Amino acid sequence: MTGVDRRFRSLVVAHAVSAYGTYLNLIALSLFSYEVTGSALGVGAVMAVRLLSGVTAGLAAGAVTARLTRRTLMVATDLAQTLAMVVLALWASRTPLWVLLGAVVVLGAGNTFFNVALRSAVPVMVGQDDRARANGVLVTARSVATVLGFASAAPVISLGGFGVAFGVNAASFAVSAAAVLVLRPRTDTDGGTDHDGDAGGDAVSDPGASEGGGDGSSPGRAGRLRRRVAGLAGPLLGLIALRGLDALASASHNVALPLAAHAAEPSDPAVFMARFWAAWAVGTLLAHQVLKRRSHGTSWGERAFAVGTCAMSLCFVAAFTGPPAPALIAAAVAAGFADGWTEIVYTSRLQAAPDRQRGRLFGLSATAEQSGFALGTIAAAAALEALPALAVVGVFHGAAACGALILLLLTVRRRDARSAEDRSDRSSTGGEDHSSTRGEDHSSTRGEDRSSTGGDKGEDTHGTSTGASRLSGP
């Protein structure tokens, strides 16, 4: 294992510690918000403020990452979240509402800024060829941290109260900040150059640009270049839009799962949820193990993401049909596998963009994800008042599956159109080259051969000739 690998894996461990504190705090902060506000509406308002701050941070993330180094942004956001949680831990039961709202704003914005900086920095830290494997390590670590955070929230709160839970979260952010400071990973390119040497500002290089603009073939090449660069926006925007729709669908099963747990095991719903999320985490781990053995991970894109989204939606819907325990665990494992698959493929695809564009792409992605999850949470909670959990989850995940099928169809059509264009370009280029070869190379070869032969013959036979006079030398 190289030094870069060890450093990155150490950073992943620290990030997993931070993620553990975050997921523990999700439960603790929800319960604490109810104590402070005294109503379910107040809890929803606090959650809305947190999500809104994340959406706003996503819109600003591209500009912020362009002005600051990613490492600086990661440390600053970790320290800000540490301070916010320390304040909540010290105030504990006598926290006023304005302090709680200020803390959740810092948490929402800080989490978005940190994730945008980390995800856009992965190709710089490990290289473009290893980004899929690195994303798999990140997804696996986060999945394990999710399960541990959710599972330990109840005992930590019951034994130490909210102050201890907030203190644990503050310590987790401090560990992450210290790791970034000590390890000092390379998170930014020098002079806009990607880790693999490509110019950060150029999505595609024009080979004709350096060979002179007076070439008659350069307008055609420039036209094809403009069409291909313009076509790059469509697939990426389609991916981000589907990611937002996926987040909206995921909100439905997150909201409906407690209801399903109470219906399936009324005596102990926590066991049901712990079993489900543990199986889901095993699935994400399997996804990483499978994908890291694929040799062509850098070529995955829209099709792999669309297929994974469809599979994930079907598995989550199957989990709400009331299957027996073994089938439920199998559905949760399959859903986790598809979830891990889509996360790794999606992140790796966005990371293939030039370095200077990645911050804006991941900022836009964070905005889509946060907005989708917020809208899905509100809509699913309202729908569950009148409809059963299976119907709500089915409708939401059905919408995500339809979006994935549309993206898959557009991808196939675009691929066919591109193949037809490439065949047309090859045929036209081949015709030009063939005529040029026949008209120039063949004629010159015949002329040179004839003159050379005639020269030799004339020199040998007559001593002088027209052909011999063209030969160089004494």
Side-chain angles (χ1 to χ4, degrees), residues 18-42:
S18 173
Y20 162 77
T22 297
Y23 287 108
L24 183 153
N25 188 50
L26 282 177
I27 296 178
L29 197 60
S30 297
L31 297 173
F32 184 69
S33 299
Y34 185 77
E35 279 200 0
V36 173
T37 62
S39 67
L41 181 61

Side-chain angles (χ1 to χ4, degrees), residues 342-366:
T342 54
E343 173 71 18
I344 295 169
V345 170
Y346 174 78
T347 306
S348 300
R349 176 63 185 89
L350 262 61
Q351 288 168 348
D355 182 74
R356 63 187 294 180
Q357 296 178 6
R358 285 199 292 268
R360 293 193 295 271
L361 284 174
F362 280 108
L364 182 60
S365 175

Side-chain angles (χ1 to χ4, degrees), residues 111-344:
N111 183 64
T112 298
F113 280 132
F114 184 94
N115 284 328
V116 169
L118 175 62
R119 293 162 81 182
S120 59
V122 165
V124 184
M125 288 190 280
V126 302
Q128 284 285 1
D129 292 340
D130 292 328
R131 69 183 191 277
R133 182 187 294 265
N135 291 327
V137 173
L138 281 170
V139 169
T140 300
R142 191 187 63 190
S143 301
V144 174
T146 301
V147 175
L148 293 178
F150 284 156
S152 62
V156 168
I157 295 171
S158 61
L159 292 176
F162 293 115
V164 172
F166 295 151
V168 170
N169 194 19
S172 70
F173 287 128
V175 168
S176 178
V180 177
L181 284 172
V182 172
L183 295 172
R184 297 185 62 81
R186 182 173 180 262
T187 59
D188 296 87
T189 57
D190 298 327
T193 302
D194 281 335
H195 190 75
D196 57 358
D198 294 334
D202 298 326
V204 184
S205 60
D206 187 357
S210 60
E211 298 175 1
D215 190 1
S217 63
S218 60
R221 292 181 181 178
R224 290 194 297 270
L225 176 65
R226 284 194 297 271
R227 288 196 300 270
R228 289 172 181 171
V229 172
L232 182 64
L236 289 178
L237 291 178
L239 277 176
I240 293 173
L242 180 57
R243 186 67 172 178
L245 189 58
D246 175 30
L248 183 143
S250 297
S252 69
H253 68 249
N254 277 278
V255 174
L257 192 60
L259 301 180
H262 279 281
E265 298 186 24
S267 59
D268 202 351
V271 173
F272 178 95
M273 295 189 65
R275 187 191 307 130
F276 182 90
W277 287 119
W280 173 85
V282 170
T284 60
L285 177 62
L286 291 176
H288 169 53
Q289 296 301 317
V290 170
L291 291 182
K292 76 178 184 180
R293 288 172 171 79
R294 296 289 296 271
S295 59
H296 302 292
T298 56
S299 65
W300 293 327
E302 297 83 5
R303 282 177 292 168
F305 179 63
V307 171
T309 301
C310 282
M312 178 178 60
S313 294
L314 292 175
C315 292
F316 273 118
V317 172
F320 281 83
T321 58
L328 175 67
I329 292 175
V333 171
F337 183 91
D339 212 350
W341 172 287
T342 54
E343 173 71 18
I344 295 169

